[in-house]
């Protein structure tokens, strides 16, 4: 099977490309290397046997240089929920929406199936902010036994209401999801939508606005300042974090049963066992760090921030038999190992 991975020089795309190329798939990566640090992945990808095409998904011509393919993994995006806030909405929508449309057109031309990497950020901010949360010593959490439409202690499931504002980023992902499903139905392509929570681990070029686990770990290796932003600056906000190798396990399972998962949308994440608050992440990093960075507290909450998100994986587990296997400790251990092994290259990026 020939697989085209857009954004394949990025964090998630490169992990999938290396895994799939290593397991006998013919992998081509299309990336414009706009993310700082993605260029570091080119030699790694080529060493794993993937072909790397430099091109921009905003331009349909870029796909011509990639040749024919049987399956598209669409991972090219501006992945920050804050993107567009500084008047750069054209870049965000160009890469995330026009780029997805161009990728779907290429898939249609080649009769290729599609796995789309969407985001938990399709769920509206106000509804997530309205969840009843207890304030624990180190984290927010929903009360035991509490539940509502699309949520419970197990997390947010696919039945969570979709009405309301979700950020420009979330809107770009939901719009692209809609196109993926429609292309599948109109042209007979098998499509899968994975709504990812936070993915974290080696090869994530963490920035203040995206990739907080890698950023946290990097500051504990290279030094510098960190900030707990929002919700009083106390670091109780919670996310589940998914190791990219766990995601690669899932994608391989989906590839092996495309007929049965076609047309479906899944929430995918680390789940409750894979959840951490910023405070808890700081404790994990302190125990492993070479240096202890300063920690600022920024009490004000950004309009697109949310206090709690845990993925309810029940649907995807039932459909594929997959489960996340790598806990936050392993995500953090593997991230520290990667930072130290590539200290020379990464110090300039992270
Ligand atoms: N990392 C996460 O926590 C997370 C969570 C939810 C969803 N996602 C989704 O997963 C996908 C991959 O995210 P990631 O974390 O690997 O991000 P990333 O920034 O590391 O990778 C994205 C890659 O796309 C490339 N790219 C951006 N614009 C492009 C364009 N116009 N043309 C060609 N290439 C372009 C970048 O250079 C980069 O290499 C994205 O679609 C993102 O929305 C990621």
């Amino acid at each position: 099977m020939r697989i085209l991975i857009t954004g394949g020089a990025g964090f998630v795309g490169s992990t999938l490309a290396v895994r799939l190329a290593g397991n006998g798939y013919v992998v081509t990566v299309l990336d414009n290397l706009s993310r700082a640090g993605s260029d570091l992945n080119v030699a790694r990808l080529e060493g794993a046997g993937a072909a790397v095409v430099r091109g921009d998904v905003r331009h349909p011509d870029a796909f011509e240089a990639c040749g024919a393919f049987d399956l598209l993994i669409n991972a090219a995006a501006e992945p920050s929920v804050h993107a567009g806030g500084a008047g750069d909405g054209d870049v965000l929508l160009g890469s995330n929406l026009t780029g997805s449309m161009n990728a779907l057109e290429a898939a249609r031309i080649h009769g290729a199936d599609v796995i789309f990497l969407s985001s938990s950020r399709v769920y509206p901010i106000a509804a997530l902010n309205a969840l009843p949360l207890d304030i624990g010593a180190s984290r927010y959490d929903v009360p035991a036994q509490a539940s509502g439409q699309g949520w419970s202690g197990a997390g947010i499931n696919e039945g969570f209401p979709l009405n309301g504002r979700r950020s420009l980023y979330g809107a770009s992902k939901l719009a692209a999801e809609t196109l993926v499903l429609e292309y599948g139905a109109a042209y007979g392509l098998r499509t899968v939508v994975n709504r990812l929570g936070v993915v974290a681990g080696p090869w994530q070029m963490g920035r203040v606005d995206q990739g907080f686990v890698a950023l946290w770990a990097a500051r504990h290796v290279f030094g510098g300042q960190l900030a707990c932003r929002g919700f009083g600056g106390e670091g109780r906000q919670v996310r589940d974090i998914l190791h990219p190798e766990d995601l690669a396990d899932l994608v391989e399972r989906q590839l092996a049963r495309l007929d049965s998962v076609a047309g479906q949308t899944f929430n995918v994440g680390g789940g409750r066992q894979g959840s951490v608050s910023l405070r808890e992440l700081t404790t994990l990093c302190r125990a492993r760090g070479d240096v202890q960075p300063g920690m600022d507290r920024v009490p004000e909450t950004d309009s697109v921030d949310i206090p709690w998100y845990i993925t309810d994986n029940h649907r995807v587990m039932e459909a594929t038999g997959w489960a996340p296997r790598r806990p936050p400790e392993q995500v953090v251990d593997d991230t520290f190992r990667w930072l130290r092994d590539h200290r020379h290259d990464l110090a300039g990026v992270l």
Side-chain angles (χ1 to χ4, degrees):
M1 185 191 272
R2 297 161 300 177
I3 300 181
L4 175 64
I5 306 181
T6 62
F11 161 51
V12 173
S14 66
T15 307
L16 297 179
V18 168
R19 168 76 75 89
L20 295 171
N23 285 345
Y25 294 94
V26 178
V27 176
T28 301
V29 154
L30 173 63
D31 201 300
N32 68 355
L33 306 183
S34 57
R35 174 86 184 231
S38 285
D39 56 323
L40 297 176
N41 278 317
V42 172
R44 174 174 161 247
L45 288 162
E46 290 175 341
V52 179
V53 175
R54 291 170 202 221
D56 195 314
V57 296
R58 288 174 289 181
H59 306 302
D61 300 353
F63 291 87
E64 286 167 20
C66 300
F69 55 94
D70 306 302
L71 182 118
L72 165 78
I73 299 179
N74 189 357
E78 170 43 67
S80 168
V81 73
H82 299 279
D88 49 348
D90 57 335
V91 177
L92 168 76
L93 295 176
S95 294
N96 296 16
L97 189 50
T98 309
S100 293
M101 190 188 79
N102 292 336
L104 286 167
E105 267 300 291
R108 179 187 67 76
I109 289 165
H110 295 295
D113 299 315
V114 178
I115 294 180
F116 179 57
L117 301 187
S118 187
S119 167
S120 58
R121 286 308 200 136
V122 300
Y123 296 116
I125 293 165
L128 291 168
N129 276 331
L131 293 173
L133 293 177
D134 292 335
I135 304 176
S138 68
R139 61 159 69 193
Y140 297 122
D141 209 347
V142 296
Q145 313 305 328
S147 64
Q149 189 187 343
W151 68 271
S152 70
I156 306 294
N157 66 46
E158 296 82 353
F160 200 77
L162 278 169
N163 289 335
R165 181 203 168 208
R166 53 184 53 78
S167 75
L168 274 176
Y169 168 72
S172 75
K173 300 304 274 190
L174 187 59
E177 271 190 14
T178 308
L179 289 178
V180 169
L181 290 176
E182 293 299 338
Y183 263 71
Y187 304 119
L189 313 177
R190 293 176 295 182
T191 65
V192 181
V193 171
N194 291 319
R195 287 180 178 158
L196 305 176
V198 169
V199 190
W203 300 102
Q204 184 166 39
M205 307 298 169
R207 309 183 304 217
V208 169
D209 66 329
Q210 201 264 339
F212 70 94
V213 175
L215 181 77
W216 239 245
R219 292 288 184 272
H220 285 81
V221 174
F222 304 134
Q225 197 73 10
L226 285 170
C228 281
R229 293 175 192 279
F231 309 103
E234 295 181 336
R236 288 193 176 85
Q237 57 266 53
V238 170
R239 300 287 188 276
D240 58 335
I241 58 177
L242 180 68
H243 197 296
E245 296 294 344
D246 273 333
L247 178 60
D249 291 345
L250 172 65
V251 166
E252 287 205 285
R253 280 175 181 264
Q254 291 176 330
L255 289 175
R257 46 177 69 68
L258 270 175
D259 278 333
S260 70
V261 293
Q264 298 204 56
T265 296
F266 299 113
N267 285 1
V268 174
R272 175 163 281 280
Q273 298 301 321
S275 66
V276 289
S277 69
L278 267 188
R279 276 188 187 208
E280 293 159 357
L281 176 65
T282 304
T283 303
L284 290 176
C285 289
R286 283 207 171 128
R288 291 158 175 80
D290 305 320
V291 286
Q292 301 304 328
M295 186 70 71
D296 294 330
R297 288 171 58 148
V298 181
E300 299 77 26
T301 304
D302 190 278
S303 66
V304 297
D305 212 352
I306 52 172
W308 186 92
Y309 190 92
I310 289 178
T311 307
D312 183 338
N313 282 314
H314 277 98
R315 181 186 284 182
V316 72
M317 288 166 70
E318 211 162 282
T320 64
W322 170 85
R325 291 188 294 121
R326 297 162 179 90
E329 290 77 8
Q330 185 174 346
V331 172
V332 174
D333 282 341
D334 289 354
T335 306
F336 271 89
R337 189 174 311 114
W338 165 68
L339 290 165
R340 288 174 175 134
D341 286 351
H342 300 271
R343 177 186 291 270
H344 181 70
D345 291 332
L346 294 175
V349 180
L350 284 141

